[in-house]
Amino acid sequence: MSTQRTQKTPEQRIPGMVNRRERFQEVEHAENAGKTLRRVAVYFFQEKAMVLGMLAAVVFGTLCGVYAPSLQSRAIDILAGTASGNLLRTVLLMLAVYVLYCLGQLLQNLISARLSQNIVRRMREELFGKIVDLPVQYLDTHSHGDVMSRMTNDVENISTTVSQSLPSLFSGVLTILGTAAIMLWYCWQLALLSLVTVILTVLATKLLSGKVRTYSRRRQALLGQLNGTVEEMVAGYRTVVAYNRQDKTTEDFCSTADSLTREGIKTDVCSGVMGPIMNAIGNIGFVIIAAFGGYFSIHGLISVGVISAFIVYAKQFSRPINEIAQVYGQLQTAIAGAERVFSVLDEADEDKSGEPIAQDSAKTVTFEGVNFSYAPQHPVIRDFSLTVPSGKKVALVGATGSGKTTIVNLLLRFYDIDSGAIRINGQNIQHISRGSLRRDIAIVLQDTVLFSDTIRQNLLYGRDGATEDELRRALDMSHCREMLESLPQGLDTMLAESGANISQGQRQLLAIARAFVADPKILILDEATSNVDTRTEKAIQDAMQLVMQNRTSIVIAHRLSTIRDSDLIVVMDQGHIAECGSHNALLAQKGKYYELYQTQYAGFAT
């Protein structure tokens, strides 16, 4: 099947459906953190060798970090003459321990970075594989920006957490435990006095972190609003200028920018204050240790070297507390992101089961009393019965929202009908596998989709293995030859995203050529020549007559001039057939088709 999904989604017809333009707002807390963590643990278990290596590096580095100050204490006591030992050997050992500490940190960072990339790669592969297997209905009813955000932002948050936050968390917990134990072993009285600074650190961190999160949330929301304003202004610049709305647009932008500036200042002030406050609390701790440590030293409870070690340990004790407070917020965000990723992975795949379609050269499509609704109590198709004979061209016309594109969605099994039956040569499509069904159908849409690849690969998207002659023939039939000759690399010209480097008309010509390459048994044209000029449209229609020979064709049209030669014209109204017949017969009836025709060509009021 040479196609992309039809562009006319049901979102305007379903009450409460998510607006695709709605911007994604990050969730900060998971609804079921425990279940999500267990599922994330499965990814870690698959990399258990690397996880164990990272933990070993964390433990080794932490032990070195905790042990080094005690060597410093011993060296000072040797210098002071209160302890015996070889000073040079002690200093060299201390140097070696610090070097090993640095190597442990380096190894920890390398392993955690590799671990995060392995986990994220596997998660992205599973997520992308799931997305391409999701039913069309899922993508029709979920914001595309939200789905993209799960693939990018949420997975990236998980990656950052694995590579940075988790090692910091493990290292911080071990450092706190190890430091507390050795401080209590040296002098439990001085250790308890040092806890005063720890309590102050926790309180200050909690207070300031809460304010920073609040202001940051407001700043991010305003930043998103500001980016949206700029994006809309750039995309719709011609409209802004045409309606002389530059001053109003500038006023709106400045108002949002001023609010963003105020929230940014608050955020930066609170963030900037945190460092000096932590330093002040640390200095208070040093004063406590120096004062009471000196007192204890005079009374022979501890040595001068122990005081020096306590100063290092006090700093070493408070630092992980700050890190853990910051890591906690990152962990919450990552768990929430993982939960959102898993919610997509838990969606049911599109059902691909079924029998193959019968390989007949002729395809007769029959709709038998079809009823369908996108949402309960809101029927879109009502008792629709129609036979599209093999090799014939049937046109569907009607007002916007009458159900024309829905009929195509049902034929392609993008959605399943509520009741009735759709048959191809008597074979119920509900029993046919979707893949087999769609290989026999090609569709050309009004809003074409081309991929960021060469023109050749975009054409081969219709049918892998098409020969060069078949590609050239399809290009000739769709009148793309002149366009190709104007391009520097011809078939090997690289298209920008969505074919942005060629005109809309040229994109539509290539989409038609892609359908020709597919060589389908059933051809669907949804206003397929709306973006080409009248002369090219006539030439393409002549070419289509050749392509449609011996093929079942369904044409959706608003311009009635494009379907006058159809074998059967079906006029739809609110999901059912209002009338059908040939062009001349319908005009003679002077019904809805006659009204549509007169509206377009006789100047009647619309």
Side-chain angles (χ1 to χ4, degrees):
M1 172 185 164
S2 159
T3 181
Q4 59 278 354
R5 184 168 50 86
T6 44
Q7 86 283 11
K8 296 179 182 178
T9 61
E11 61 184 2
Q12 293 180 345
R13 296 188 290 272
I14 304 178
M17 176 170 285
V18 176
N19 187 340
R20 290 183 179 182
R21 293 180 177 269
E22 198 172 84
R23 298 192 180 276
F24 166 65
Q25 294 183 348
E26 184 178 358
V27 178
E28 294 187 348
H29 297 281
E31 294 181 3
N32 193 334
K35 180 181 177 181
T36 303
L37 284 173
R38 287 192 293 271
R39 294 188 64 172
V40 171
V42 174
Y43 291 91
F44 283 91
F45 183 78
Q46 294 171 339
E47 302 286 343
K48 53 182 176 294
M50 203 169 292
V51 171
L52 292 175
M54 184 187 72
L55 290 177
V58 169
V59 172
F60 178 75
T62 302
L63 290 177
C64 290
V66 171
Y67 180 53
S70 66
L71 292 174
Q72 175 183 316
S73 171
R74 182 172 178 79
I76 292 174
D77 286 341
I78 293 173
L79 281 172
T82 57
S84 61
N86 189 311
L87 179 61
L88 179 61
R89 184 181 301 172
T90 303
V91 171
L92 291 176
L93 180 58
M94 182 173 63
L95 177 62
V97 170
Y98 274 121
V99 170
L100 290 174
Y101 171 75
C102 293
L103 290 176
Q105 292 287 309
L106 177 61
L107 185 61
Q108 167 189 319
N109 291 335
L110 291 175
I111 295 176
S112 61
R114 180 70 178 272
L115 175 64
S116 72
Q117 292 307 311
N118 286 355
I119 290 175
V120 166
R121 184 199 67 220
R122 184 177 290 109
M123 191 173 288
R124 277 204 175 111
E125 288 174 352
E126 291 182 10
L127 185 57
F128 187 81
K130 168 62 71 172
I131 290 174
V132 298
D133 284 334
L134 286 172
V136 171
Q137 182 178 4
Y138 179 88
L139 294 176
D140 275 348
T141 54
H142 289 77
S143 164
H144 291 181
D146 179 63
V147 175
M148 289 295 297
S149 181
R150 297 178 195 228
M151 174 66 77
T152 54
N153 295 345
D154 290 335
V155 175
E156 193 60 36
N157 284 336
I158 297 171
S159 172
T160 302
T161 300
V162 174
S163 63
Q164 299 176 14
S165 302
L166 283 182
S168 297
L169 179 62
F170 295 148
S171 177
V173 171
L174 291 176
T175 299
I176 289 173
L177 294 176
T179 302
I182 202 166
M183 288 173 72
L184 290 171
W185 180 69
Y186 270 133
C187 181
W188 64 268
Q189 298 95 332
L190 191 57
L192 292 178
L193 288 169
S194 299
L195 285 178
V196 173
T197 60
V198 174
I199 295 172
L200 291 175
T201 299
V202 171
L203 292 176
T205 300
K206 185 175 181 180
L207 177 63
L208 292 175
S209 295
K211 288 188 175 296
V212 169
R213 279 197 299 272
T214 300
Y215 294 141
S216 293
R217 242 182 255 123
R218 295 176 187 170
R219 183 174 67 176
Q220 288 303 112
L222 288 168
L223 181 60
Q225 184 178 341
L226 192 71
N227 290 338
T229 301
V230 174
E231 180 183 351
E232 288 182 349
M233 191 280 293
V234 172
Y237 182 69
R238 291 178 181 272
T239 304
V240 173
V241 173
Y243 284 91
N244 199 28
R245 300 286 290 182
Q246 297 96 317
D247 292 341
K248 176 61 177 174
T249 303
T250 303
E251 181 182 340
D252 292 342
F253 175 86
C254 291
S255 175
T256 305
D258 290 343
S259 299
L260 176 61
T261 300
R262 286 192 293 270
E263 296 302 327
I265 291 173
K266 293 177 184 177
T267 304
D268 292 340
V269 166
C270 287
S271 299
V273 164
M274 184 175 291
I277 288 179
M278 293 302 139
N279 288 334
I281 293 174
N283 292 333
I284 293 173
F286 296 154
V287 171
I288 292 174
I289 292 172
F292 287 93
Y295 176 80
F296 292 150
S297 177
I298 292 173
H299 289 78
L301 290 176
I302 57 175
S303 66
V304 176
V306 170
I307 297 175
S308 171
F310 255 88
I311 291 175
V312 176
Y313 282 130
K315 184 176 182 180
Q316 194 167 272
F317 190 84
S318 60
R319 177 179 54 81
I321 295 176
N322 296 332
E323 291 180 353
I324 291 173
Q326 295 174 1
V327 165
Y328 177 77
Q330 295 174 355
L331 283 174
Q332 289 294 325
T333 300
I335 293 171
E339 187 175 62
R340 287 164 46 78
V341 170
F342 292 142
S343 70
V344 177
L345 293 177
D346 290 339
E347 290 289 333
D349 289 343
E350 186 176 51
D351 184 7
K352 297 181 180 178
S353 63
E355 60 193 30
I357 193 170
Q359 293 303 309
D360 303 319
S361 58
K363 299 290 184 183
T364 297
V365 180
T366 307
F367 297 84
E368 300 175 354
V370 173
N371 291 282
F372 173 74
S373 57
Y374 290 107
Q377 310 304 320
H378 293 84
V380 177
I381 302 298
R382 302 176 177 85
D383 194 26
F384 184 88
S385 297
L386 175 69
T387 297
V388 183
S390 173
K392 299 299 183 180
K393 175 182 176 181
V394 173
L396 301 180
V397 300
T400 299
S402 59
K404 304 183 296 298
T405 299
T406 299
I407 292 298
V408 173
N409 287 340
L410 298 178
L411 178 58
L412 287 164
R413 288 197 68 189
F414 290 157
Y415 292 84
D416 285 330
I417 61 177
D418 296 336
S419 62
I422 303 176
R423 304 181 189 275
I424 297 179
N425 286 357
Q427 189 177 12
N428 194 325
I429 67 170
Q430 295 296 116
H431 303 150
I432 301 174
S433 69
R434 285 176 165 86
S436 177
L437 172 69
R438 293 166 187 170
R439 276 192 292 271
D440 272 359
I441 303 175
I443 183 169
V444 181
L445 303 173
Q446 178 178 357
D447 294 333
T448 58
V449 173
L450 298 176
F451 301 96
S452 301
D453 207 332
T454 62
I455 291 177
R456 184 189 306 277
Q457 291 302 317
N458 272 278
L459 294 178
L460 291 174
Y461 205 81
R463 177 165 57 91
D464 286 333
T467 65
E468 190 78 10
D469 289 340
E470 289 173 329
L471 295 182
R472 296 289 177 183
R473 180 170 177 269
L475 290 168
D476 287 338
M477 294 177 66
S478 58
H479 294 262
C480 291
R481 175 73 68 175
E482 183 178 345
M483 176 191 72
L484 279 181
E485 291 175 351
S486 67
L487 297 175
Q489 284 85 36
L491 273 173
D492 295 315
T493 299
M494 182 65 70
L495 296 180
E497 183 179 358
S498 301
N501 54 339
I502 59 177
S503 70
Q504 176 64 34
Q506 290 173 325
R507 293 199 290 270
Q508 201 160 49
L509 289 174
L510 287 177
I512 293 171
R514 181 168 58 191
F516 291 166
V517 170
D519 193 22
K521 301 294 191 304
I522 300 173
L523 181 63
I524 299 173
L525 303 173
D526 189 350
E527 200 65 34
T529 58
S530 61
N531 292 316
V532 296
D533 60 83
T534 305
R535 184 172 64 88
T536 305
E537 178 186 8
K538 179 63 172 64
I540 291 176
Q541 295 222 354
D542 292 340
M544 284 181 176
Q545 296 307 314
L546 298 176
V547 177
M548 290 179 186
Q549 287 180 5
N550 301 320
R551 287 186 175 86
T552 304
S553 303
I554 298 176
V555 180
I556 297 175
H558 293 289
R559 287 191 295 185
L560 303 184
S561 61
T562 62
I563 48 93
R564 295 179 60 173
D565 61 342
S566 298
D567 298 295
L568 181 68
I569 298 174
V570 177
V571 183
M572 297 189 63
D573 181 38
Q574 296 183 358
H576 67 273
I577 297 176
E579 55 190 23
C580 59
S582 65
H583 172 74
N584 291 329
L586 290 175
L587 286 181
Q589 290 181 21
K590 294 192 175 182
K592 287 189 173 294
Y593 182 80
Y594 177 81
E595 293 176 2
L596 289 172
Y597 187 82
Q598 291 297 315
T599 297
Q600 291 189 21
Y601 298 106
F604 278 27
T606 57

